[in-house]
């Protein structure tokens, strides 16, 4: 498979097209990230996870566009300086969206970890025999030294 020849900006039309392409990819990715965060916040995990494939494709296109823009930075500045400023402003807004999305995903991850830990503790507590005297764990059928059975989780949300 041959690699495509990198885009070279040689005039204003090409510079405008490059800036418009990067801005378009950035706006589409920003919309997908905002939608994903809204679904996760509302507890609709299945819908939030469903956007992973388009998000990956848009992120790849965005990164590729940024690489082309970096490779043609001098030409962009020469042929379309207002486009460079538009890219900078849009990138600052995009950074805020990405940070908000990451915050939502981190919160969802920590909540799910907390739920799993508390579930495991509850299962371990239920396996302790209730009685008089010192409480010791019941013998495990899974081998020596293992204090509880395996924790089984369903991947179906």
């Amino acid at each position: 498979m041959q690699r495509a020849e990198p885009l070279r900006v040689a005039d204003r039309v090409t510079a405008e097209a490059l800036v418009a392409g990067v801005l378009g990819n950035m706006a589409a990715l920003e919309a997908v990230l905002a939608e994903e965060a809204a679904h996760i916040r509302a507890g609709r995990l299945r819908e939030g996870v469903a956007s992973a494939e388009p998000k990956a494709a848009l992120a790849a296109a965005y990164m590729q566009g940024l690489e082309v823009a970096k490779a043609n930075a001098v030409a962009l500045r020469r042929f379309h300086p207002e486009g460079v400023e538009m890219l900078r402003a849009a990138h600052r807004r995009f950074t805020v969206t990405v940070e908000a999305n990451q915050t939502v995903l981190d919160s969802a991850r920590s909540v799910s970890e907390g739920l799993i830990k508390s579930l495991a503790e509850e299962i371990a507590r239920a396996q302790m025999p209730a009685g008089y005297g010192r409480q010791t764990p019941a013998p495990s059928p899974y081998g020596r030294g293992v204090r509880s059975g395996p924790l089984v989780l369903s991947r179906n949300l």
Side-chain angles (χ1 to χ4, degrees):
M1 190 186 292
Q2 287 184 330
R3 288 183 56 151
E5 195 65 28
L7 177 68
R8 293 283 174 217
V9 174
D11 57 3
R12 182 169 178 85
V13 173
T14 310
E16 288 174 351
L18 176 60
V19 169
V22 172
L23 288 174
N25 285 332
M26 189 185 308
L29 183 56
E30 192 172 3
V32 169
L33 290 175
E35 180 183 347
E36 177 186 51
H39 285 305
I40 299 294
R41 274 190 199 107
R44 297 184 302 265
L45 300 179
R46 187 172 301 210
E47 291 87 353
V49 174
S51 63
E53 190 173 319
K55 180 173 75 169
L58 287 169
Y62 170 67
M63 291 305 293
Q64 184 178 14
L66 280 184
E67 291 300 319
V68 172
K70 285 179 188 176
N72 292 288
V74 174
L76 281 175
R77 177 60 92 183
R78 179 175 165 212
F79 293 118
H80 194 39
E82 60 274 3
V84 173
E85 293 307 315
M86 288 172 23
L87 280 173
R88 285 188 178 148
H91 187 69
R92 283 191 291 271
R93 287 190 311 271
F94 181 68
T95 302
V96 171
T97 302
V98 170
E99 289 173 356
N101 181 269
Q102 290 299 314
T103 301
V104 169
L105 292 177
D106 287 342
S107 296
R109 182 181 303 120
S110 65
V111 166
S112 63
E113 286 174 358
L115 288 172
I116 289 175
K117 284 180 183 177
S118 63
L119 177 64
E121 289 171 0
E122 189 66 32
I123 289 172
R125 198 172 317 130
Q127 290 182 347
M128 295 289 259
Y132 298 108
R134 188 171 149 236
Q135 291 187 346
T136 58
S140 174
Y142 297 103
R144 188 173 191 139
V146 178
R147 293 190 167 255
S148 67
L151 178 63
V152 179
L153 298 175
S154 172
R155 291 242 174 216
N156 296 332
L157 298 176

